[in-house]
Amino acid sequence: MLVARKLLPWVIFTGICLALGNGNAATSVAALLSRAEAVRSSDPGEFQQLLVELEEARPNASSAQRDQIAYLQAYRQSYLGRYNIAIPALQKLARDATTVETRYRAGALMVNGYAVTRQFTEGLRQLDQTLELVDRIEDTDLRAHGLGVAAVMYNEIGEYRLGLHYAERILANPPHGRARCFAGQYRAEALWQLKRLPASDAMLRDAIQHCVAEDEAVIANLLRGTLARQWASQGQRGKAIALLQQHMPEIESTRYARLVGEAHSLLAELLLAQGSLVEAERNARAAISHGPAMPHSQPLVAAFKALYEIASRRGDTAAALDYYRRYAEADKAYLNDVKTRELAYQFVRQETAQKTQQIELLNRQNQVLQLQQRVAKQNAQNTRLVVLLLLVVVAGLGYWAYWIRRRQKALRRFAETDALTGASNRHHFTQSAEQALAQCARNGEQAALVMFDLDRFKEINDTYGHAAGDWVLREVADACRSFCRGIDCFGRLGGEEFAFLLLGCDLAAATRLAEDCRVRLTRIDTRPSGHNFTVTASFGVSATASSGFGLEVLISHADRMLYRAKRGGRNQVRAYTPDMPIAETSRREEDCEQEPAQIPAFGASAP
């Protein structure tokens, strides 16, 4: 008993010390978390060291603090571009975190990860789930963060009006600190893409200054990139180059691969336009070295294009050809990615609409069931009649909707398609081509038009009959479809005349495609038609670089080249250039000048 009495004060003292120690540990974890949150995007080095200390202090952290540590670890992985590690960790947090705030933050960061990794369908789904939690978030800045995530996602998928809407919702009630900085960048990006950015750079400078004050180097330099683009578009290229070069060390110090790659790509474009080939090449290569962090992106396309133009100016044909191939591949991947983003948005919107309709249908069904229960108490027979009536109405509406949908599809197909060849008819081709050219003009993209006319097609009809002529037209249309991408336009303009509109192609690329198509047509085996002859065509090519974005002018120049090919002996490709003398000969006069000739046998060279 005496020993116990002597030890009792020490036991009490030790307990007090342990309690104080645990309290200090908890305070230390909270302080580390607070500091890590403050520097996570402004000081990557200190943030990494704080994460190491937090991991060591994890045993002393509460459940909510452990969730916050896990979130910051996932944030670090996202910052380094390791989304294959970050996204699964965020999925677990969004599902299992103890607080709604952490689930909300995890969902928002996951949306960013899906956007960067081009998983737009999953990102849009996650965005809808995250925004459902907004009204449960009491912190104003954190709530603004969710709206900012929505702005980022919609900017990424090209829905810039929605991106601007969410950014302006944030700035209408300006949040504190970092959130305002991010919102300013989202608004600037959307306005630039919508071509609505004010001519004055005051708004951009104010946003940059605010981000600098918040130590947000990444966002500040994204805004500087937009400012450089604005200056360049206003003819102040030297000023834009100086801005990027001045801040390039700071940009590279962020180690944010996507920012670094985009900055080098933009600088390469500006330097190339100024004629500084060596510096342009260095920056283009630096941008390509960050290609894995920005796949299927316009900056990567621009970097390869810059290297191709540099090699061309230096006369290095082999290098130019190689870079042109890589540029074409990157451009195709970028265009496919744009289409993927558009499809993802439409898919998720349709999916959401279907879910809403299902909920409404279930609500209505529930109301009907309640009504049926009340009616059943009065008369069971009446209940059966009501159910039968509802089934008949639903079936009738379903059949009516199905019939109307099929009818609309058939009418649309009939109105847009040439019945014989299955290609677009002249009206639909013209409408689609004008819309595509307007889009190219807005985006500063190239396009080219290829027209061709089958040689001596009338003689095929006269010699072998119209059935053989129709067979030839169908075979020609089938052969030409293999040369069309999903974004291109192909149609039958009338008779034996067809046309392609090739988006993103210059005159040289379109001429090569026309030549490939010409060769393909000469290889059509006509024996299945019951006759033996050779199919050839004469091609004319024009491009927006020399003819502008007006469809009528493109068709006129391509048509002239087509008939120049006719005069030159047929079965050949001619491309329009502004310096080319063009005889002012009408089609009717050209046709009258051609001498009738025998159709060559299968395998013979075309006239």
Side-chain angles (χ1 to χ4, degrees):
M1 289 293 294
L2 182 60
V3 173
R5 289 177 180 175
K6 289 183 177 180
L7 288 176
L8 183 58
W10 291 102
V11 171
I12 295 172
F13 178 76
T14 303
I16 293 172
C17 290
L18 288 173
L20 290 173
N22 289 335
N24 290 336
T27 302
S28 177
V29 171
L32 288 171
L33 285 170
S34 177
R35 181 59 184 166
E37 291 283 2
V39 303
R40 59 192 169 94
S41 60
S42 60
D43 192 338
E46 183 181 358
F47 179 56
Q48 175 62 26
Q49 180 59 38
L50 288 167
L51 286 181
V52 173
E53 296 177 26
L54 282 168
E55 200 59 35
E56 294 174 352
R58 182 187 285 269
N60 298 319
S62 66
S63 297
Q65 288 175 331
R66 284 196 291 271
D67 287 341
Q68 191 175 359
I69 293 170
Y71 169 81
L72 293 173
Q73 293 283 12
Y75 181 93
R76 173 66 177 172
Q77 297 298 336
S78 298
Y79 189 91
L80 296 175
R82 300 169 184 165
Y83 295 102
N84 59 322
I85 300 174
I87 289 177
L90 292 168
Q91 288 173 336
K92 184 176 185 303
L93 278 174
R95 183 182 64 250
D96 301 333
T98 57
T99 64
V100 66
E101 288 79 7
T102 302
R103 293 200 301 273
Y104 176 79
R105 296 181 74 196
L109 184 55
M110 205 187 320
V111 172
N112 285 334
Y114 282 133
V116 174
T117 56
R118 329 314 283 172
Q119 301 179 66
F120 295 105
T121 301
E122 294 299 325
L124 288 167
R125 287 173 178 160
Q126 183 61 48
L127 178 60
D128 289 341
Q129 296 174 20
T130 302
L131 290 179
E132 289 176 359
L133 303 176
V134 168
D135 293 336
R136 299 174 60 186
I137 305 300
E138 297 180 357
D139 184 84
T140 303
D141 290 341
L142 187 55
R143 196 159 52 240
H145 177 62
L147 298 175
V149 166
V152 170
M153 173 56 80
Y154 286 123
N155 281 351
E156 279 292 321
I157 65 174
E159 292 294 325
Y160 296 108
R161 287 180 177 82
L162 285 173
L164 179 61
H165 166 74
Y166 281 103
E168 289 181 339
R169 276 187 62 183
I170 299 170
L171 295 170
N173 184 18
H176 300 92
R178 300 169 62 249
R180 179 183 170 190
C181 167
F182 282 84
Q185 196 275 325
Y186 307 150
R187 178 177 63 177
E189 181 183 5
L191 288 172
W192 169 255
Q193 294 294 343
L194 292 169
K195 303 187 185 306
R196 291 167 51 187
L197 197 64
S200 169
D201 58 11
M203 185 189 77
L204 287 175
R205 287 182 175 277
D206 178 69
I208 292 170
Q209 184 178 0
H210 184 79
C211 291
V212 170
E214 293 296 332
D215 280 336
E216 289 297 337
V218 171
I219 307 304
N221 283 292
L222 286 172
L223 286 163
R224 289 187 181 113
T226 302
L227 180 58
R229 290 186 180 91
Q230 183 185 39
W231 283 347
S233 70
Q234 295 172 346
Q236 303 178 69
R237 189 184 300 118
K239 191 176 178 181
I241 292 172
L243 176 69
L244 292 173
Q245 288 177 335
Q246 176 187 352
H247 294 280
M248 188 60 72
E250 179 184 347
I251 292 171
E252 293 179 336
S253 70
T254 66
R255 299 168 61 189
Y256 187 45
R258 189 174 182 186
L259 167 65
V260 178
E262 289 181 0
H264 278 296
S265 177
L266 175 58
L267 188 54
E269 285 185 79
L270 297 176
L271 288 167
L272 178 60
Q274 187 175 266
S276 303
L277 299 188
V278 174
E279 282 299 304
E281 181 180 21
R282 183 179 67 80
N283 280 279
R285 292 186 183 280
I288 291 171
S289 70
H290 292 85
M294 51 176 191
H296 316 307
S297 66
Q298 185 61 33
L300 190 60
V301 173
F304 279 122
K305 184 179 180 182
L307 290 175
Y308 155 70
E309 293 182 3
I310 291 168
S312 297
R313 294 186 189 183
R314 290 174 173 170
D316 190 347
T317 306
L321 183 61
D322 179 62
Y323 284 126
Y324 184 83
R325 177 185 59 79
R326 296 170 70 181
Y327 155 65
E329 291 173 353
D331 188 53
K332 181 179 180 181
Y334 169 67
L335 293 175
N336 289 339
D337 188 63
V338 170
K339 182 63 67 176
T340 299
R341 284 180 269 171
E342 294 173 352
L343 291 175
Y345 175 74
Q346 296 300 330
F347 177 81
V348 174
R349 293 284 74 80
Q350 182 179 9
E351 189 178 67
T352 303
Q354 288 176 345
K355 289 180 180 178
T356 302
Q357 290 173 357
Q358 288 174 354
I359 292 172
E360 292 177 356
L361 180 60
L362 289 173
N363 289 335
R364 291 178 182 178
Q365 289 175 344
N366 184 50
Q367 294 172 3
V368 170
L369 288 174
Q370 292 175 357
L371 177 61
Q372 288 175 344
Q373 289 174 357
R374 290 195 298 268
V375 173
K377 294 178 181 179
Q378 299 175 2
N379 193 315
Q381 182 63 35
N382 289 343
T383 301
R384 288 194 293 269
L385 290 175
V386 170
V387 172
L388 179 61
L389 178 61
L390 287 173
L391 290 174
V392 170
V393 170
V394 171
L397 289 174
Y399 176 77
W400 177 80
Y402 171 76
W403 183 85
I404 289 295
R405 184 176 179 83
R406 289 198 60 181
R407 188 66 176 171
Q408 288 175 340
K409 286 184 177 179
L411 290 173
R412 186 183 301 112
R413 189 163 50 249
F414 177 78
E416 296 178 350
T417 305
D418 175 57
L420 177 62
T421 63
S424 296
N425 58 29
R426 186 184 189 98
H427 174 73
H428 184 237
F429 173 82
T430 301
Q431 188 177 49
S432 301
E434 287 176 344
Q435 293 174 356
L437 286 169
Q439 183 69 27
C440 288
R442 287 193 297 270
N443 296 340
E445 297 178 353
Q446 300 185 79
L449 181 77
V450 176
M451 290 180 60
F452 68 90
D453 186 276
L454 298 182
D455 296 330
R456 297 194 171 97
F457 183 72
K458 183 176 183 301
E459 295 180 13
I460 295 176
N461 281 330
D462 294 344
T463 305
Y464 303 116
H466 288 281
D470 291 348
W471 181 89
V472 168
L473 291 174
R474 286 191 294 271
E475 290 296 309
V476 167
D478 290 343
C480 291
R481 285 190 187 93
S482 63
F483 292 92
C484 284
R485 302 165 297 175
I487 61 173
D488 297 331
C489 302
F490 171 64
R492 181 185 178 194
L493 302 187
E496 62 273 21
E497 190 173 58
F498 297 82
F500 298 91
L501 180 66
L502 306 171
L503 306 183
C505 288
D506 58 12
L507 187 65
T511 304
R512 287 196 299 273
L513 183 140
E515 179 61 24
D516 292 343
C517 185
R518 182 194 68 79
V519 174
R520 179 71 174 272
L521 297 185
T522 63
R523 294 175 180 172
I524 293 177
D525 185 358
T526 60
R527 286 174 292 187
S529 71
H531 306 285
N532 198 12
F533 55 90
T534 299
V535 177
T536 65
S538 300
F539 289 74
V541 184
S542 62
T544 55
S546 55
S547 302
F549 290 90
L551 181 61
E552 290 185 5
V553 177
L554 283 167
I555 290 178
S556 173
H557 290 170
D559 185 63
R560 292 181 179 183
M561 293 300 98
L562 186 157
Y563 279 87
R564 174 167 288 195
K566 292 280 190 183
R567 287 200 306 273
R570 299 184 175 87
N571 192 23
Q572 56 186 261
V573 177
R574 293 294 180 91
Y576 174 80
T577 56
D579 59 343
M580 179 180 295
I582 299 176
E584 298 297 332
T585 306
S586 70
R587 288 190 177 200
R588 186 178 299 276
E589 292 169 345
E590 281 294 331
D591 291 339
C592 291
E593 290 175 3
Q594 302 301 323
E595 293 292 335
Q598 297 295 324
I599 297 174
F602 178 79
S605 60

